[in-house]
Every structure is written in structure tokens, then in C-alpha cells.
Amino acid sequence: MVGVMSGIRVVEVAAWTYVPVAGAILTEWGADVLKIEHPESGDPQRGLVTSGLIPAGAVNHMFELPNRGKRSVALDLKSEQGRELLMKLVETADVFLTNFRPSARKKLGIDVEDVRAHNDKIIYVRGSAAGQSGPESERGGYDMSSFWSRSGAADNVSPEALGYPVNMPGPAFGDVLGGLTIAGAISSALFHRERTGEATVVDSSLLALGAWAMGPTIAGAHAFNLEGYPKTTPDKAPNPLVNTYGTKDGRHITIVMLESDRFWPELMTVLESPELITDPRFDSHAKRAQNNVECVAAIAAGFARKTLEEWKIALKDINGVWAPVQRPREMVTDPQVEANSYIADLEDSAGTAFKLVSAPVQFDEQPGDVRRAPDHGEHTDEVLQELGLTMDEILEYKISGAVL
């Protein structure tokens, strides 16, 4: 493993998944990330166990995901002593990472000017629901609201016949993408500081991420003055070679063969329908588009002859792009996922085994250093001793309630 962020320290005052997952990614790359949590409540994400969103007695995977590899330091930032200790940590750090709203940052004394007063070279990073400016800068948000719904993504993927917008593909779908974006921005800011000596303020939001993800669609909707973007169903795909088809056993395969004239003969051969290669209805891209409903039906009939497992063997050596429509759990045993170490095996602090997907970037062909998330306040004593405090001094802080 190459610790490209080795020697970089991040002080994180953030909760839930969006923003904390940026710190988690940096730990995989070698950074020392200090997660600041309240001594009593901690990150509210820890409470998902008691709310029933985590199986009883199981690993809190929703906390592990955005907090892997960090050190937890429990400080009461509302107390003068807790804030003083935070600023001592700030003095040792390269990055300050937060998703607290402007009013909360001001009230706690952790806004840009407060932090920069103790370390003028620190990179200050803010993640929010909808940005730092405008009438909604104080409003909170989650990825399902700010990223998925507001951006137009939910509307665009929902078939008209359904009658309602579909939910995100899974929990924290936008959060983890946003965290990756922030981690990349932090890397750029550190590079800029290395080159120029200038420390920047970095901003990102779930709304900005949603707009970026929907960028081509937003631009197209504006260019063509479309109130709603054109939608199709699989039986009417404009390009039958870019579509999803059902298999004999009720599973599905997606094909993305954009150069359809190039791949049409190959596809028809593997579907055991060679007579369709020269069928006058389908023998060119233009004709397949013109007769798309008939063409889709012909391809669908071919895929319906075999099971998904049979198609995995039959399609293995073709040149056209295809993929099975997998269920999330199937990713764990996907041979390509295993070959590239995309999922790590871990144990939580109680010794319970679990798996986490690694950050989707590798250096020198090695996966990142994926480690478990910390227990609440697990590293408070250790980190404060690194600041030079004695155990007697730390005990005084514990008695006052400033630390856990």
C-alpha cells in the first residue's frame, strides 16, 4: 500500500455520511483523521443500531462505512475547555473538515476565521446541502432530497406509467459520491498549498453534486426547452443495442453496443439468430432505429432462450459490451471485484467480521488501507497525550465533562 496522504492530519467536525465519508477515504490513502464527537451523544449515525436500521447484534455498517480508519476524540465544543483542546488539534492539522451549518459554526467558534486564527495554513473544507450562499444556506438536507430529488435525477429515471418518482438506488447513494468528490478536492487543495503556500477554502454541496451528475440532461433540457426529458421503456429503446433484456430465469442483461453496425452481426450470431444479420428491417443502424420496436422484440426473444448463467458463458468472449444486472450481494463474490480487491474484509471492535467496499482509487495497483471505524471516544486519551497533556490533566478535563 502506498500512503499518498501519509503525514497529513485532518480534523473532522462532521456527522452522518456526506462529508465524513471524505475523511474515511483519506484514511485509506494514509491520512490521520481525527473525528471530533460530543462526549455524550457522539455522531448520531451511531444511533442507527437502536433505531432498528442495523440488525440486532450485527456490525453498524452504516457507521463503519464513512468512519473507517479514523481516530475518535470526544470533545464538548460548547465548553471553553473543549474548544481550546480542539484548537490545539487544529494547530497540528493540515485540513479542517466540517458539514456544520453557518450559524452552528459561528456559535461554536469554528468558522473559517476562528480556525485560521490558530492555523493560517489550514485548508478549510465545508460540505453542505445547498451551498454556503443564498436563501437556503442554513437549511439542512440529505442526498435523497438535495442530490436525488432536487437535481431532476428522480424525475428523469421514473417511468411515466409508474405515477411516482423512484427512490435512490440505495442508502447514502449520493453521500458516498459526494464524499469522493470532496476527497479529490482536498487532494487538489493540498497540492496547491504545496506549490504556492496558499491555503484555500473548499466548498461542495449535495445540490452541486446533483447538478453535476445531471449535467448533460440539464443542458439538453435547456437547449431544447423541454419541460420533461424524453423517456423510453425497454420495449421501445431507440437503439435496440443499448438496452436491457430479460433472460429465461427472470434475470436481466444490459448491452451497450453504441457502434451498432459493428456489433450487430456478432450479437445475432451469439443469440443464434444469424438470419437477422441481413434481415432488411435490421441490416443498418438507421433501419434498426426505424424499426426499433420489432428489433427489440427480436433481441428479447433471443435472450429469453437461456438463463443468466448460461449467457455469462455464451457472451464471455464477444467484443460488444454487456453486463449482468446484478443484485448488491452478488458484488461480494463477483470474480472481477475479488481479483481487484475492491471489497475489504474487516472486524469491528467486538471482533465481528464484516465487509466494506474500498475507495474506488488505487495507487501502484494496491488497495487502500481499510480499517474499522473507532468506538466513541476511543482515541481521546491517546490524541491528547500526543499534544503533550499528562494523564492527570486529561482526568481533570474528563471530570469537567469537556472530554470523554
Side-chain angles (χ1 to χ4, degrees):
M1 189 206 72
V2 180
V4 294
M5 288 287 177
S6 180
I8 297 297
R9 171 170 282 187
V10 179
V11 171
E12 177 190 294
V13 181
W16 297 105
T17 300
Y18 176 59
V19 177
V21 79
I25 291 167
L26 296 178
T27 68
E28 286 195 33
W29 298 347
D32 178 22
V33 179
L34 305 180
K35 181 178 182 64
I36 309 302
E37 302 186 69
H38 190 275
E40 294 181 4
S41 57
D43 187 326
Q45 186 105 298
R46 293 183 183 274
L48 290 179
V49 172
T50 57
S51 67
L53 295 179
I54 305 297
V59 174
N60 186 348
H61 59 277
M62 288 302 297
F63 183 80
E64 291 283 345
L65 188 150
N67 293 294
R68 64 189 73 185
K70 299 176 185 177
R71 296 198 285 172
S72 174
V73 181
L75 304 178
D76 182 0
L77 300 187
K78 293 181 180 179
S79 73
E80 183 177 344
Q81 289 179 317
R83 186 179 172 280
E84 287 177 356
L85 290 173
L86 174 70
M87 292 307 165
K88 288 182 180 294
L89 293 176
V90 161
E91 291 170 4
T92 71
D94 299 279
V95 178
F96 185 86
L97 179 61
T98 186
N99 61 3
F100 281 29
R101 303 177 204 179
S103 58
R105 298 196 306 266
K106 183 177 182 180
K107 183 178 181 180
L108 292 172
I110 59 170
D111 221 336
V112 178
E113 59 273 16
D114 303 308
V115 171
R116 287 271 172 86
H118 293 267
N119 184 346
D120 62 358
K121 293 299 181 184
I122 201 165
I123 293 164
Y124 194 99
V125 185
R126 302 177 294 209
S128 62
Q132 299 297 319
S133 302
E136 297 181 43
S137 60
E138 286 287 355
R139 289 188 63 181
Y142 294 95
D143 55 348
M144 187 169 173
S145 57
S146 304
F147 163 77
W148 184 250
S149 296
R150 193 168 185 171
S151 70
D155 176 77
N156 208 55
V157 302
S158 303
E160 298 289 357
L162 193 61
Y164 58 87
V166 300
N167 288 337
M168 293 189 304
F173 184 76
D175 289 341
V176 296
L177 298 175
L180 184 64
T181 301
I182 293 173
I186 290 171
S187 303
S188 297
L190 288 168
F191 178 75
H192 176 75
R193 190 185 69 174
E194 183 73 19
R195 285 290 185 90
T196 68
E198 179 185 11
T200 57
V201 175
V202 176
D203 283 306
S204 190
S205 73
L206 288 167
L207 181 60
L209 179 72
W212 174 254
M214 290 293 291
T217 305
I218 292 170
H222 178 73
F224 290 97
N225 195 28
L226 297 172
E227 186 66 27
Y229 212 74
K231 301 176 184 180
T232 62
T233 51
D235 60 319
K236 298 177 182 177
N239 181 353
L241 272 70
V242 180
N243 201 15
T244 298
Y245 293 96
T247 61
K248 184 178 180 179
D249 55 343
R251 299 297 300 274
H252 291 84
I253 287 176
T254 294
I255 60 173
V256 186
M257 301 177 184
L258 294 172
E259 300 173 85
S260 66
D261 284 336
R262 174 186 173 190
F263 296 115
W264 177 250
E266 177 185 58
L267 180 62
M268 290 304 98
T269 299
V270 77
L271 289 181
E272 299 175 356
S273 302
E275 71 282 0
L276 295 180
I277 295 174
T278 57
D279 188 306
R281 298 170 299 168
F282 311 138
D283 61 3
S284 72
H285 179 81
K287 290 182 180 179
R288 288 189 292 276
Q290 182 180 354
N291 301 298
N292 63 313
V293 175
E294 293 174 85
C295 189
V296 166
I299 297 174
F303 276 112
R305 296 187 188 112
K306 295 181 180 180
T307 66
L308 178 60
E309 290 305 315
E310 290 172 330
W311 280 121
K312 286 181 180 180
I313 297 171
L315 297 170
K316 182 170 63 70
D317 295 322
I318 70 169
N319 292 310
V321 172
W322 66 277
V325 177
Q326 296 197 133
R327 294 164 180 148
R329 193 174 182 183
E330 290 176 319
M331 282 290 287
V332 174
T333 55
D334 185 309
Q336 200 62 20
V337 170
E338 292 180 325
N340 287 279
S341 302
Y342 288 158
I343 297 180
D345 290 299
L346 302 172
E347 288 186 358
D348 70 3
S349 60
T352 304
F354 67 103
K355 293 180 181 289
L356 277 185
V357 176
S358 303
V361 176
Q362 296 183 354
F363 300 97
D364 288 345
E365 302 179 5
Q366 294 296 317
D369 181 18
V370 188
R371 291 165 285 128
R372 69 169 176 86
D375 289 336
H376 183 200
E378 179 179 348
H379 302 95
T380 303
D381 294 359
E382 174 183 296
V383 171
L384 295 184
Q385 285 179 311
E386 291 173 1
L387 287 177
L389 275 68
T390 66
M391 273 309 302
D392 287 341
E393 291 172 319
I394 293 171
L395 285 171
E396 291 180 11
Y397 281 119
K398 289 179 183 290
I399 292 170
S400 72
V403 307
L404 177 63

